[in-house]
Amino acid sequence: MNAEIPVHRFRKQCGFAADGRPFATLSGRVAARIATALAPTGEECRGLILALRRRLGCSRGHLAAMLGVPLGTLRRWEEGVRQPSGAAKRVIWLLHGWFCEPNQPRNPMSFLSWGRCPAAGAAGSGPVDGAGPVGVLSGGVVVDDDVLHRLAKQLLAVMDSPRPAAERIAAGRAVNLTVRAGAGLSEQCLRQWCSENLGQGKT
């Protein structure tokens, strides 16, 4: 363990912010499920790569150099022969956001959800006082009720998509964990959330 890095053990927190918004903290386990389930498909990555090349006016060789991959690898991604790995998808997505969507929110939820349901505001402007410099409280990412609503809808969309079965199963598990993460919110909010997003009237 590196003594220079403080230990941040996750401790679940749920409550209400000063403005009345309910919030919850998501553990690293839940965050990993969300990131995996909402990762862009190979075709979506192909679109990001092509958009980058159009925006920058660069050749495959130049973009391959920026991504740190061989030219042949980038060519196979563009042609749909192979899909980027999880880490490569993240680099492609980050580079696309840097050059093509400079006004995209920059906060933990934006990164975890691949920009599909970012929390409002910039990093550090979480819904509760005391949130850390990257929107983290008690070792977990802070999300409010609005983000939970949009997150559930995105995960359900993945479950209903023609993606591979393993990805749809992962999305289902992420929905389950996300619901459980919000279980400490007010009963009324949680019942409404489940009713609107999961077609259930109770937790």
Side-chain angles (χ1 to χ4, degrees), residues 25-41:
T25 53
L26 302 183
S27 69
R29 179 183 177 213
V30 178
R33 293 281 192 184
I34 292 170
T36 299
L38 296 184
T41 63

PDB file of all heavy atoms in Angstrom, residues 25-41:
ATOM      1  N   THR A  25     -24.743   7.362  -2.129  1.00  0.00           N
ATOM      2  CA  THR A  25     -23.371   7.156  -2.595  1.00  0.00           C
ATOM      3  C   THR A  25     -23.284   5.764  -3.201  1.00  0.00           C
ATOM      4  O   THR A  25     -23.834   4.803  -2.655  1.00  0.00           O
ATOM      5  CB  THR A  25     -22.357   7.293  -1.438  1.00  0.00           C
ATOM      6  OG1 THR A  25     -22.751   6.430  -0.362  1.00  0.00           O
ATOM      7  CG2 THR A  25     -22.300   8.721  -0.945  1.00  0.00           C
ATOM      8  N   LEU A  26     -22.597   5.665  -4.339  1.00  0.00           N
ATOM      9  CA  LEU A  26     -22.434   4.388  -5.030  1.00  0.00           C
ATOM     10  C   LEU A  26     -21.054   3.814  -4.734  1.00  0.00           C
ATOM     11  O   LEU A  26     -20.048   4.514  -4.835  1.00  0.00           O
ATOM     12  CB  LEU A  26     -22.594   4.578  -6.544  1.00  0.00           C
ATOM     13  CG  LEU A  26     -23.913   5.167  -7.046  1.00  0.00           C
ATOM     14  CD1 LEU A  26     -23.906   5.212  -8.565  1.00  0.00           C
ATOM     15  CD2 LEU A  26     -25.091   4.339  -6.538  1.00  0.00           C
ATOM     16  N   SER A  27     -21.003   2.551  -4.411  1.00  0.00           N
ATOM     17  CA  SER A  27     -19.730   1.894  -4.119  1.00  0.00           C
ATOM     18  C   SER A  27     -18.958   1.620  -5.403  1.00  0.00           C
ATOM     19  O   SER A  27     -19.488   1.735  -6.513  1.00  0.00           O
ATOM     20  CB  SER A  27     -19.987   0.565  -3.397  1.00  0.00           C
ATOM     21  OG  SER A  27     -20.601  -0.362  -4.293  1.00  0.00           O
ATOM     22  N   GLY A  28     -17.706   1.241  -5.246  1.00  0.00           N
ATOM     23  CA  GLY A  28     -16.901   0.897  -6.401  1.00  0.00           C
ATOM     24  C   GLY A  28     -17.467  -0.286  -7.157  1.00  0.00           C
ATOM     25  O   GLY A  28     -17.385  -0.362  -8.385  1.00  0.00           O
ATOM     26  N   ARG A  29     -18.076  -1.228  -6.440  1.00  0.00           N
ATOM     27  CA  ARG A  29     -18.682  -2.398  -7.089  1.00  0.00           C
ATOM     28  C   ARG A  29     -19.820  -1.981  -8.008  1.00  0.00           C
ATOM     29  O   ARG A  29     -19.924  -2.433  -9.150  1.00  0.00           O
ATOM     30  CB  ARG A  29     -19.192  -3.360  -6.019  1.00  0.00           C
ATOM     31  CG  ARG A  29     -19.864  -4.605  -6.592  1.00  0.00           C
ATOM     32  CD  ARG A  29     -20.418  -5.471  -5.476  1.00  0.00           C
ATOM     33  NE  ARG A  29     -21.132  -6.630  -6.030  1.00  0.00           N
ATOM     34  CZ  ARG A  29     -22.195  -7.174  -5.454  1.00  0.00           C
ATOM     35  NH1 ARG A  29     -22.663  -6.672  -4.318  1.00  0.00           N
ATOM     36  NH2 ARG A  29     -22.780  -8.220  -5.982  1.00  0.00           N
ATOM     37  N   VAL A  30     -20.688  -1.104  -7.515  1.00  0.00           N
ATOM     38  CA  VAL A  30     -21.800  -0.626  -8.334  1.00  0.00           C
ATOM     39  C   VAL A  30     -21.272   0.189  -9.509  1.00  0.00           C
ATOM     40  O   VAL A  30     -21.737   0.050 -10.646  1.00  0.00           O
ATOM     41  CB  VAL A  30     -22.775   0.218  -7.491  1.00  0.00           C
ATOM     42  CG1 VAL A  30     -23.903   0.760  -8.360  1.00  0.00           C
ATOM     43  CG2 VAL A  30     -23.346  -0.608  -6.344  1.00  0.00           C
ATOM     44  N   ALA A  31     -20.284   1.050  -9.233  1.00  0.00           N
ATOM     45  CA  ALA A  31     -19.711   1.882 -10.292  1.00  0.00           C
ATOM     46  C   ALA A  31     -19.139   1.029 -11.416  1.00  0.00           C
ATOM     47  O   ALA A  31     -19.301   1.330 -12.606  1.00  0.00           O
ATOM     48  CB  ALA A  31     -18.637   2.799  -9.716  1.00  0.00           C
ATOM     49  N   ALA A  32     -18.456  -0.077 -11.052  1.00  0.00           N
ATOM     50  CA  ALA A  32     -17.873  -0.952 -12.067  1.00  0.00           C
ATOM     51  C   ALA A  32     -18.941  -1.596 -12.920  1.00  0.00           C
ATOM     52  O   ALA A  32     -18.797  -1.719 -14.148  1.00  0.00           O
ATOM     53  CB  ALA A  32     -17.018  -2.026 -11.386  1.00  0.00           C
ATOM     54  N   ARG A  33     -20.040  -2.021 -12.304  1.00  0.00           N
ATOM     55  CA  ARG A  33     -21.144  -2.617 -13.058  1.00  0.00           C
ATOM     56  C   ARG A  33     -21.737  -1.612 -14.043  1.00  0.00           C
ATOM     57  O   ARG A  33     -22.042  -1.939 -15.190  1.00  0.00           O
ATOM     58  CB  ARG A  33     -22.228  -3.084 -12.094  1.00  0.00           C
ATOM     59  CG  ARG A  33     -21.835  -4.224 -11.194  1.00  0.00           C
ATOM     60  CD  ARG A  33     -21.897  -5.551 -11.910  1.00  0.00           C
ATOM     61  NE  ARG A  33     -21.795  -6.653 -10.964  1.00  0.00           N
ATOM     62  CZ  ARG A  33     -21.745  -7.935 -11.319  1.00  0.00           C
ATOM     63  NH1 ARG A  33     -21.758  -8.244 -12.588  1.00  0.00           N
ATOM     64  NH2 ARG A  33     -21.648  -8.871 -10.407  1.00  0.00           N
ATOM     65  N   ILE A  34     -21.920  -0.386 -13.566  1.00  0.00           N
ATOM     66  CA  ILE A  34     -22.498   0.654 -14.414  1.00  0.00           C
ATOM     67  C   ILE A  34     -21.597   0.940 -15.606  1.00  0.00           C
ATOM     68  O   ILE A  34     -22.044   1.005 -16.756  1.00  0.00           O
ATOM     69  CB  ILE A  34     -22.732   1.934 -13.596  1.00  0.00           C
ATOM     70  CG1 ILE A  34     -23.839   1.707 -12.559  1.00  0.00           C
ATOM     71  CG2 ILE A  34     -23.083   3.114 -14.513  1.00  0.00           C
ATOM     72  CD1 ILE A  34     -23.969   2.833 -11.554  1.00  0.00           C
ATOM     73  N   ALA A  35     -20.302   1.095 -15.330  1.00  0.00           N
ATOM     74  CA  ALA A  35     -19.351   1.411 -16.400  1.00  0.00           C
ATOM     75  C   ALA A  35     -19.295   0.304 -17.443  1.00  0.00           C
ATOM     76  O   ALA A  35     -19.228   0.573 -18.646  1.00  0.00           O
ATOM     77  CB  ALA A  35     -17.968   1.653 -15.813  1.00  0.00           C
ATOM     78  N   THR A  36     -19.359  -0.938 -16.997  1.00  0.00           N
ATOM     79  CA  THR A  36     -19.316  -2.065 -17.930  1.00  0.00           C
ATOM     80  C   THR A  36     -20.581  -2.131 -18.770  1.00  0.00           C
ATOM     81  O   THR A  36     -20.530  -2.325 -19.985  1.00  0.00           O
ATOM     82  CB  THR A  36     -19.134  -3.390 -17.164  1.00  0.00           C
ATOM     83  OG1 THR A  36     -17.898  -3.354 -16.449  1.00  0.00           O
ATOM     84  CG2 THR A  36     -19.141  -4.579 -18.110  1.00  0.00           C
ATOM     85  N   ALA A  37     -21.726  -1.946 -18.111  1.00  0.00           N
ATOM     86  CA  ALA A  37     -23.004  -2.066 -18.820  1.00  0.00           C
ATOM     87  C   ALA A  37     -23.225  -0.953 -19.835  1.00  0.00           C
ATOM     88  O   ALA A  37     -23.830  -1.178 -20.886  1.00  0.00           O
ATOM     89  CB  ALA A  37     -24.150  -2.084 -17.812  1.00  0.00           C
ATOM     90  N   LEU A  38     -22.744   0.237 -19.536  1.00  0.00           N
ATOM     91  CA  LEU A  38     -23.003   1.384 -20.416  1.00  0.00           C
ATOM     92  C   LEU A  38     -21.853   1.674 -21.375  1.00  0.00           C
ATOM     93  O   LEU A  38     -21.907   2.660 -22.114  1.00  0.00           O
ATOM     94  CB  LEU A  38     -23.290   2.632 -19.568  1.00  0.00           C
ATOM     95  CG  LEU A  38     -24.544   2.573 -18.699  1.00  0.00           C
ATOM     96  CD1 LEU A  38     -24.750   3.903 -17.984  1.00  0.00           C
ATOM     97  CD2 LEU A  38     -25.782   2.229 -19.521  1.00  0.00           C
ATOM     98  N   ALA A  39     -20.829   0.843 -21.392  1.00  0.00           N
ATOM     99  CA  ALA A  39     -19.699   1.069 -22.305  1.00  0.00           C
ATOM    100  C   ALA A  39     -20.176   1.082 -23.750  1.00  0.00           C
ATOM    101  O   ALA A  39     -21.104   0.352 -24.116  1.00  0.00           O
ATOM    102  CB  ALA A  39     -18.651  -0.016 -22.113  1.00  0.00           C
ATOM    103  N   PRO A  40     -19.597   1.901 -24.597  1.00  0.00           N
ATOM    104  CA  PRO A  40     -20.023   1.954 -25.997  1.00  0.00           C
ATOM    105  C   PRO A  40     -19.768   0.635 -26.718  1.00  0.00           C
ATOM    106  O   PRO A  40     -18.812  -0.082 -26.412  1.00  0.00           O
ATOM    107  CB  PRO A  40     -19.164   3.087 -26.587  1.00  0.00           C
ATOM    108  CG  PRO A  40     -18.001   3.211 -25.674  1.00  0.00           C
ATOM    109  CD  PRO A  40     -18.497   2.837 -24.322  1.00  0.00           C
ATOM    110  N   THR A  41     -20.630   0.318 -27.660  1.00  0.00           N
ATOM    111  CA  THR A  41     -20.455  -0.882 -28.467  1.00  0.00           C
ATOM    112  C   THR A  41     -19.329  -0.660 -29.472  1.00  0.00           C
ATOM    113  O   THR A  41     -18.830   0.459 -29.634  1.00  0.00           O
ATOM    114  CB  THR A  41     -21.741  -1.201 -29.229  1.00  0.00           C
ATOM    115  OG1 THR A  41     -22.021  -0.121 -30.137  1.00  0.00           O
ATOM    116  CG2 THR A  41     -22.919  -1.372 -28.277  1.00  0.00           C
TER     117      THR A  41
END
